[in-house]
Amino acid sequence: MKTSNGNTSIMDMFEKGRVLKICAPMVRYSKLAFRSLVRKYSCDICFTPMIVASDFMRSVKARDSEFTTNEHDRPLIVQFAAHDAQTLADAACVVAPFSDGVDLNCGCPQRWAMSAGYGACLINKPELVKDMVRQVRNQVDNPNYTASIKIRIHKDLRRTVDLCQKAEAAGVSWITVHGRTSEERHQPVHFDAIKTIKDSVSVPVIANGDIKYLRDVESTHQLTGVDGVMAARGLLANPAMFDGYEDTPLECVWDWVDIAVEQGTPFTCFHQHLIYMLERVSSQPERKVFNSLSSTSAVIDYLQNTYGSGSELGTMTLQWTAVALFLYVEIGILVLLCIPFISARRWQSIFHLRIWGSLAQFWNKVFLTMIIILIVLFLDAVREVRKYSGKEVGTDAKLQPNMFDHLHMKLFRAQRNLYISGFAVFLWLVMKRVVTLINQLATVSSTTAALQAQADSANKTAKKYMEDNELLKQTLMDGKGDKATAEGMELLRKDMEKLKEELRTSKDALKSSMSEADVMKKQMDGLAREYDRLLKEHQELQNLQESGSKKEE
């Protein structure tokens, strides 16, 4: 959901009557790569790690390292730690074009944060929080840009309610409540306190704390009536949690490998995320071995050997499996069509069966649809080959040698898909041509057989008349009188006229058949030349692709 254009607001998501699922701000962990992963598994909103606003504004290096995003990383909330309203407002103005809102951290219980005036100590300064929220709302030139706070609760809940109501008066967009005090760490979450806060304000309230499974989302909503839930450690252990998975699925593990390698995630972060993901599904000895790995290639080898390859690495996806199966079916059909002891006329009789007649009306649509699908897949494979054989990818692989094997495998997969789709298109066209040629050959064969039958019939008729002629001659020679001679001559004349008529008919039929045969021959010659041209173009395309791949290597 892109909201930086100022026409839509992230607040619209709260009006859909559903519980929003949110990825919490986590120092070192909720960075772009991890946010990209959880978004694939039904996470609605993501927070950046907490960024110290003063350092962010003071140093360009800090801005470049602490805040990274891309066009797909939305909706996005940037969380700042601040104790000065103007500094927070300045930082919000800097990130506003690239995000959907800012969040003020009023809940971090770490000593360094509280001693510096950040985090949970701000819940004791409601007027300062109120001023910071107001300054962000006033200075960011986007009415749809949100300003939220994330808090912990007081032992005296009335103080927390007062803080929330003052923040609401200042224009806070929503409030995230971690249901523990700043002194509590792993104690049970005070859901009753979250419910009290929800009932005390009119802005949306997000619950945070002990969200480890999807069922916890619904139970928390039932207990508190909140508008959304925020998970931290639960998502670290299972980034697919919001999609209903009890434990991290293998598909999610390989998704993380692909995203981390593509975005150049440092090995320490890449490895640590996998340690969290595999903690529930691996044994103690397995975790000990995995935790000791020290390179990206070693991690990928371990995952492949222990859990098997993901769909993006070793095995084909469903669509490419279907294309490969279609290619094998095409090859099988062409082999059957080319069997020498099955005549063209026999194939034509098979094509004329009732079942094929009922399907013939859809044939052209099916043919064109398959052509379009295969061409789209072919172009997608070309894009993948160019993506993983580009100069930038090669440079990244040289800078990070551990990526080489992974990228090489992805390039191999893309090239494999390119050849599969290319040959599938080619054989689909060839199969169409072969079926057409078989039908034409069967038609020519039938015409030839009919001509042969007519010629045989004419020969038999001529032979019969020759015998009759000899008999008549013999009768005339014997000369049994003028009357017999006259009768014989009349009979001979009639037979001669009948013979001439039949010969004339046979001659016309033979001329017509020869004309049709000449037309068929010309069509077959044209189809043969077209087939040779397609074969030549396909060979040139394959040579061009292979030469391109060699140049890139």
Side-chain angles (χ1 to χ4, degrees), residues 26-67:
M26 293 174 280
V27 176
R28 297 187 303 275
Y29 294 120
S30 60
K31 294 189 175 183
L32 176 60
F34 186 72
R35 298 197 300 268
S36 302
L37 178 65
V38 296
R39 289 185 193 279
K40 296 185 67 173
Y41 294 92
S42 301
C43 183
D44 297 313
I45 302 173
C46 288
F47 277 59
T48 68
M50 182 186 73
I51 303 171
V52 178
S54 57
D55 295 340
F56 185 78
M57 294 304 298
R58 185 182 306 116
S59 168
V60 175
K61 182 177 180 181
R63 289 196 290 273
D64 293 338
S65 63
E66 293 296 326
F67 179 64

Short mmCIF file of all heavy atoms in Angstrom, two decimals, residues 26-67:
data_model
loop_
_atom_site.label_atom_id
_atom_site.label_comp_id
_atom_site.label_asym_id
_atom_site.label_seq_id
_atom_site.Cartn_x
_atom_site.Cartn_y
_atom_site.Cartn_z
N MET A 26 12.61 -4.10 15.76
CA MET A 26 13.59 -4.93 16.47
C MET A 26 14.99 -4.49 16.06
O MET A 26 15.35 -4.55 14.87
CB MET A 26 13.39 -6.42 16.12
CG MET A 26 12.09 -7.00 16.65
SD MET A 26 11.81 -8.70 16.07
CE MET A 26 11.18 -8.39 14.41
N VAL A 27 15.77 -4.02 17.03
CA VAL A 27 17.13 -3.56 16.76
C VAL A 27 17.93 -4.69 16.12
O VAL A 27 17.93 -5.82 16.61
CB VAL A 27 17.81 -3.08 18.06
CG1 VAL A 27 19.26 -2.69 17.78
CG2 VAL A 27 17.05 -1.90 18.64
N ARG A 28 18.58 -4.39 15.00
CA ARG A 28 19.41 -5.30 14.21
C ARG A 28 18.61 -6.30 13.38
O ARG A 28 19.18 -6.92 12.49
CB ARG A 28 20.42 -6.07 15.09
CG ARG A 28 21.43 -5.21 15.81
CD ARG A 28 22.48 -6.07 16.49
NE ARG A 28 21.88 -7.02 17.43
CZ ARG A 28 21.56 -6.72 18.69
NH1 ARG A 28 21.77 -5.49 19.15
NH2 ARG A 28 21.02 -7.63 19.49
N TYR A 29 17.32 -6.47 13.64
CA TYR A 29 16.62 -7.57 12.98
C TYR A 29 15.52 -7.13 12.01
O TYR A 29 15.36 -7.73 10.95
CB TYR A 29 16.02 -8.52 14.03
CG TYR A 29 17.08 -9.24 14.82
CD1 TYR A 29 17.17 -9.09 16.20
CD2 TYR A 29 18.01 -10.04 14.19
CE1 TYR A 29 18.14 -9.74 16.93
CE2 TYR A 29 19.01 -10.69 14.90
CZ TYR A 29 19.07 -10.53 16.27
OH TYR A 29 20.05 -11.18 16.98
N SER A 30 14.73 -6.11 12.34
CA SER A 30 13.61 -5.76 11.47
C SER A 30 14.05 -4.83 10.34
O SER A 30 13.41 -3.82 10.07
CB SER A 30 12.47 -5.12 12.27
OG SER A 30 12.90 -3.94 12.92
N LYS A 31 15.13 -5.22 9.67
CA LYS A 31 15.64 -4.42 8.56
C LYS A 31 14.97 -4.85 7.26
O LYS A 31 14.11 -5.73 7.25
CB LYS A 31 17.16 -4.55 8.48
CG LYS A 31 17.86 -3.94 9.69
CD LYS A 31 19.36 -3.86 9.50
CE LYS A 31 20.03 -3.13 10.68
NZ LYS A 31 21.48 -2.98 10.50
N LEU A 32 15.36 -4.22 6.16
CA LEU A 32 14.66 -4.39 4.90
C LEU A 32 14.50 -5.85 4.49
O LEU A 32 13.43 -6.28 4.07
CB LEU A 32 15.38 -3.61 3.80
CG LEU A 32 14.83 -3.77 2.39
CD1 LEU A 32 13.38 -3.32 2.31
CD2 LEU A 32 15.69 -2.99 1.39
N ALA A 33 15.58 -6.64 4.60
CA ALA A 33 15.51 -8.03 4.15
C ALA A 33 14.47 -8.81 4.94
O ALA A 33 13.65 -9.55 4.36
CB ALA A 33 16.89 -8.69 4.29
N PHE A 34 14.46 -8.65 6.27
CA PHE A 34 13.49 -9.38 7.08
C PHE A 34 12.08 -8.86 6.84
O PHE A 34 11.11 -9.64 6.81
CB PHE A 34 13.86 -9.25 8.56
CG PHE A 34 13.01 -10.10 9.47
CD1 PHE A 34 13.14 -11.48 9.50
CD2 PHE A 34 12.05 -9.52 10.29
CE1 PHE A 34 12.35 -12.26 10.32
CE2 PHE A 34 11.26 -10.28 11.12
CZ PHE A 34 11.41 -11.67 11.14
N ARG A 35 11.94 -7.57 6.66
CA ARG A 35 10.61 -7.02 6.35
C ARG A 35 10.09 -7.58 5.03
O ARG A 35 8.90 -7.88 4.89
CB ARG A 35 10.67 -5.48 6.29
CG ARG A 35 11.07 -4.82 7.59
CD ARG A 35 10.72 -3.34 7.60
NE ARG A 35 11.35 -2.56 6.56
CZ ARG A 35 12.51 -1.93 6.67
NH1 ARG A 35 13.19 -1.99 7.81
NH2 ARG A 35 13.00 -1.22 5.67
N SER A 36 10.97 -7.71 4.04
CA SER A 36 10.57 -8.29 2.75
C SER A 36 10.08 -9.73 2.93
O SER A 36 9.15 -10.17 2.24
CB SER A 36 11.74 -8.26 1.76
OG SER A 36 12.20 -6.94 1.56
N LEU A 37 10.70 -10.44 3.86
CA LEU A 37 10.31 -11.83 4.10
C LEU A 37 8.94 -11.92 4.75
O LEU A 37 8.07 -12.67 4.27
CB LEU A 37 11.36 -12.51 4.98
CG LEU A 37 11.06 -13.97 5.36
CD1 LEU A 37 11.08 -14.86 4.12
CD2 LEU A 37 12.06 -14.46 6.40
N VAL A 38 8.71 -11.20 5.84
CA VAL A 38 7.44 -11.34 6.55
C VAL A 38 6.27 -10.80 5.73
O VAL A 38 5.14 -11.25 5.90
CB VAL A 38 7.49 -10.64 7.93
CG1 VAL A 38 8.52 -11.31 8.83
CG2 VAL A 38 7.79 -9.15 7.80
N ARG A 39 6.54 -9.86 4.82
CA ARG A 39 5.47 -9.36 3.97
C ARG A 39 4.94 -10.46 3.05
O ARG A 39 3.78 -10.41 2.61
CB ARG A 39 5.94 -8.17 3.14
CG ARG A 39 6.17 -6.90 3.95
CD ARG A 39 6.52 -5.73 3.04
NE ARG A 39 7.05 -4.59 3.77
CZ ARG A 39 6.31 -3.70 4.42
NH1 ARG A 39 5.01 -3.85 4.44
NH2 ARG A 39 6.87 -2.68 5.05
N LYS A 40 5.77 -11.44 2.72
CA LYS A 40 5.32 -12.55 1.87
C LYS A 40 4.37 -13.48 2.62
O LYS A 40 3.72 -14.33 2.00
CB LYS A 40 6.52 -13.36 1.37
CG LYS A 40 7.47 -12.59 0.47
CD LYS A 40 8.55 -13.47 -0.09
CE LYS A 40 8.00 -14.51 -1.04
NZ LYS A 40 9.06 -15.27 -1.73
N TYR A 41 4.30 -13.33 3.95
CA TYR A 41 3.51 -14.25 4.76
C TYR A 41 2.49 -13.47 5.61
O TYR A 41 2.41 -13.63 6.82
CB TYR A 41 4.43 -15.10 5.64
CG TYR A 41 5.28 -16.05 4.82
CD1 TYR A 41 6.55 -15.67 4.40
CD2 TYR A 41 4.80 -17.29 4.43
CE1 TYR A 41 7.33 -16.52 3.63
CE2 TYR A 41 5.57 -18.16 3.66
CZ TYR A 41 6.83 -17.76 3.27
OH TYR A 41 7.59 -18.61 2.49
N SER A 42 1.73 -12.60 4.94
CA SER A 42 0.53 -11.96 5.50
C SER A 42 0.80 -10.94 6.60
O SER A 42 -0.07 -10.70 7.44
CB SER A 42 -0.46 -13.02 6.02
OG SER A 42 -0.84 -13.90 4.99
N CYS A 43 1.97 -10.34 6.62
CA CYS A 43 2.22 -9.24 7.57
C CYS A 43 1.71 -7.95 6.93
O CYS A 43 2.08 -7.62 5.80
CB CYS A 43 3.70 -9.14 7.89
SG CYS A 43 4.09 -7.87 9.11
N ASP A 44 0.86 -7.21 7.65
CA ASP A 44 0.21 -6.03 7.09
C ASP A 44 1.08 -4.77 7.13
O ASP A 44 1.12 -4.00 6.18
CB ASP A 44 -1.10 -5.75 7.82
CG ASP A 44 -2.10 -6.89 7.66
OD1 ASP A 44 -2.29 -7.35 6.52
OD2 ASP A 44 -2.68 -7.32 8.67
N ILE A 45 1.75 -4.55 8.25
CA ILE A 45 2.55 -3.34 8.44
C ILE A 45 3.88 -3.74 9.07
O ILE A 45 3.93 -4.62 9.93
CB ILE A 45 1.84 -2.33 9.36
CG1 ILE A 45 0.47 -1.94 8.78
CG2 ILE A 45 2.68 -1.07 9.57
CD1 ILE A 45 -0.36 -1.08 9.73
N CYS A 46 4.95 -3.08 8.65
CA CYS A 46 6.28 -3.36 9.22
C CYS A 46 6.88 -2.08 9.80
O CYS A 46 6.69 -0.99 9.26
CB CYS A 46 7.22 -3.92 8.15
SG CYS A 46 6.84 -5.61 7.65
N PHE A 47 7.63 -2.26 10.89
CA PHE A 47 8.37 -1.18 11.53
C PHE A 47 9.86 -1.37 11.26
O PHE A 47 10.35 -2.51 11.21
CB PHE A 47 8.15 -1.20 13.05
CG PHE A 47 6.89 -0.51 13.51
CD1 PHE A 47 5.65 -0.93 13.07
CD2 PHE A 47 6.94 0.54 14.40
CE1 PHE A 47 4.49 -0.32 13.51
CE2 PHE A 47 5.79 1.18 14.85
CZ PHE A 47 4.56 0.74 14.40
N THR A 48 10.57 -0.26 11.12
CA THR A 48 12.03 -0.33 11.07
C THR A 48 12.57 -0.56 12.47
O THR A 48 11.84 -0.39 13.47
CB THR A 48 12.61 0.98 10.53
OG1 THR A 48 12.38 2.02 11.50
CG2 THR A 48 11.98 1.36 9.20
N PRO A 49 13.83 -0.94 12.61
CA PRO A 49 14.45 -0.93 13.94
C PRO A 49 14.44 0.49 14.52
O PRO A 49 14.33 1.48 13.78
CB PRO A 49 15.88 -1.41 13.68
CG PRO A 49 15.82 -2.12 12.36
CD PRO A 49 14.75 -1.42 11.57
N MET A 50 14.55 0.59 15.83
CA MET A 50 14.59 1.91 16.45
C MET A 50 15.84 2.67 16.00
O MET A 50 16.95 2.13 16.02
CB MET A 50 14.60 1.78 17.98
CG MET A 50 14.60 3.10 18.71
SD MET A 50 14.78 2.91 20.50
CE MET A 50 16.51 2.43 20.61
N ILE A 51 15.63 3.91 15.57
CA ILE A 51 16.73 4.77 15.12
C ILE A 51 16.80 5.98 16.03
O ILE A 51 15.78 6.63 16.31
CB ILE A 51 16.49 5.24 13.67
CG1 ILE A 51 16.33 4.03 12.73
CG2 ILE A 51 17.63 6.13 13.19
CD1 ILE A 51 15.88 4.42 11.32
N VAL A 52 17.98 6.29 16.53
CA VAL A 52 18.16 7.48 17.38
C VAL A 52 18.09 8.72 16.49
O VAL A 52 18.92 8.91 15.59
CB VAL A 52 19.50 7.42 18.14
CG1 VAL A 52 19.69 8.69 18.97
CG2 VAL A 52 19.55 6.19 19.03
N ALA A 53 17.11 9.55 16.71
CA ALA A 53 16.83 10.67 15.82
C ALA A 53 17.99 11.66 15.73
O ALA A 53 18.31 12.15 14.64
CB ALA A 53 15.56 11.39 16.27
N SER A 54 18.63 11.93 16.84
CA SER A 54 19.72 12.92 16.82
C SER A 54 20.89 12.43 15.98
O SER A 54 21.48 13.18 15.20
CB SER A 54 20.17 13.23 18.25
OG SER A 54 20.58 12.03 18.91
N ASP A 55 21.26 11.14 16.13
CA ASP A 55 22.34 10.58 15.32
C ASP A 55 21.93 10.53 13.84
O ASP A 55 22.75 10.76 12.95
CB ASP A 55 22.67 9.16 15.79
CG ASP A 55 23.24 9.14 17.19
OD1 ASP A 55 23.74 10.20 17.65
OD2 ASP A 55 23.19 8.08 17.84
N PHE A 56 20.69 10.23 13.60
CA PHE A 56 20.18 10.14 12.24
C PHE A 56 20.31 11.48 11.52
O PHE A 56 20.67 11.55 10.34
CB PHE A 56 18.72 9.69 12.28
CG PHE A 56 18.09 9.46 10.94
CD1 PHE A 56 18.34 8.30 10.23
CD2 PHE A 56 17.23 10.40 10.38
CE1 PHE A 56 17.75 8.07 8.98
CE2 PHE A 56 16.63 10.19 9.15
CZ PHE A 56 16.90 9.02 8.45
N MET A 57 20.02 12.57 12.23
CA MET A 57 20.09 13.89 11.63
C MET A 57 21.51 14.42 11.55
O MET A 57 21.84 15.24 10.70
CB MET A 57 19.22 14.87 12.42
CG MET A 57 17.74 14.57 12.37
SD MET A 57 17.11 14.49 10.67
CE MET A 57 17.44 16.17 10.12
N ARG A 58 22.36 13.92 12.41
CA ARG A 58 23.73 14.44 12.49
C ARG A 58 24.63 13.83 11.42
O ARG A 58 25.57 14.47 10.94
CB ARG A 58 24.31 14.17 13.88
CG ARG A 58 25.71 14.80 14.10
CD ARG A 58 26.25 14.45 15.48
NE ARG A 58 25.32 14.81 16.53
CZ ARG A 58 24.72 13.94 17.35
NH1 ARG A 58 24.98 12.64 17.21
NH2 ARG A 58 23.89 14.34 18.28
N SER A 59 24.41 12.58 11.03
CA SER A 59 25.37 11.86 10.20
C SER A 59 24.70 11.27 8.96
O SER A 59 23.69 10.56 9.05
CB SER A 59 26.01 10.72 11.01
OG SER A 59 26.74 9.84 10.19
N VAL A 60 25.25 11.59 7.78
CA VAL A 60 24.78 10.99 6.53
C VAL A 60 25.03 9.49 6.55
O VAL A 60 24.21 8.69 6.08
CB VAL A 60 25.48 11.64 5.33
CG1 VAL A 60 25.08 10.94 4.03
CG2 VAL A 60 25.16 13.12 5.26
N LYS A 61 26.15 9.08 7.11
CA LYS A 61 26.48 7.65 7.19
C LYS A 61 25.44 6.91 8.01
O LYS A 61 25.02 5.80 7.66
CB LYS A 61 27.87 7.49 7.81
CG LYS A 61 28.33 6.05 7.88
CD LYS A 61 29.74 5.96 8.44
CE LYS A 61 30.19 4.50 8.51
NZ LYS A 61 31.56 4.38 9.08
N ALA A 62 25.01 7.55 9.11
CA ALA A 62 23.99 6.91 9.95
C ALA A 62 22.68 6.78 9.18
O ALA A 62 21.99 5.76 9.28
CB ALA A 62 23.78 7.73 11.22
N ARG A 63 22.34 7.81 8.41
CA ARG A 63 21.10 7.73 7.64
C ARG A 63 21.16 6.61 6.60
O ARG A 63 20.18 5.89 6.40
CB ARG A 63 20.82 9.08 6.95
CG ARG A 63 20.40 10.18 7.92
CD ARG A 63 19.78 11.35 7.20
NE ARG A 63 20.75 12.11 6.41
CZ ARG A 63 21.48 13.10 6.90
NH1 ARG A 63 21.37 13.43 8.18
NH2 ARG A 63 22.31 13.76 6.13
N ASP A 64 22.29 6.48 5.93
CA ASP A 64 22.42 5.46 4.90
C ASP A 64 22.43 4.05 5.47
O ASP A 64 21.94 3.11 4.84
CB ASP A 64 23.69 5.70 4.08
CG ASP A 64 23.61 6.98 3.26
OD1 ASP A 64 22.48 7.43 3.00
OD2 ASP A 64 24.67 7.51 2.88
N SER A 65 23.00 3.88 6.66
CA SER A 65 23.11 2.53 7.23
C SER A 65 21.89 2.13 8.04
O SER A 65 21.52 0.96 8.06
CB SER A 65 24.36 2.45 8.11
OG SER A 65 24.25 3.34 9.21
N GLU A 66 21.24 3.10 8.67
CA GLU A 66 20.13 2.77 9.56
C GLU A 66 18.78 2.69 8.84
O GLU A 66 17.88 2.00 9.29
CB GLU A 66 20.04 3.82 10.68
CG GLU A 66 21.21 3.81 11.65
CD GLU A 66 21.30 2.52 12.43
OE1 GLU A 66 20.26 1.92 12.73
OE2 GLU A 66 22.43 2.09 12.71
N PHE A 67 18.66 3.40 7.73
CA PHE A 67 17.36 3.43 7.06
C PHE A 67 17.51 3.05 5.60
O PHE A 67 18.03 3.80 4.78
CB PHE A 67 16.74 4.83 7.17
CG PHE A 67 15.40 4.95 6.49
CD1 PHE A 67 14.31 4.20 6.93
CD2 PHE A 67 15.24 5.77 5.39
CE1 PHE A 67 13.07 4.31 6.30
CE2 PHE A 67 14.00 5.89 4.76
CZ PHE A 67 12.92 5.15 5.21
#
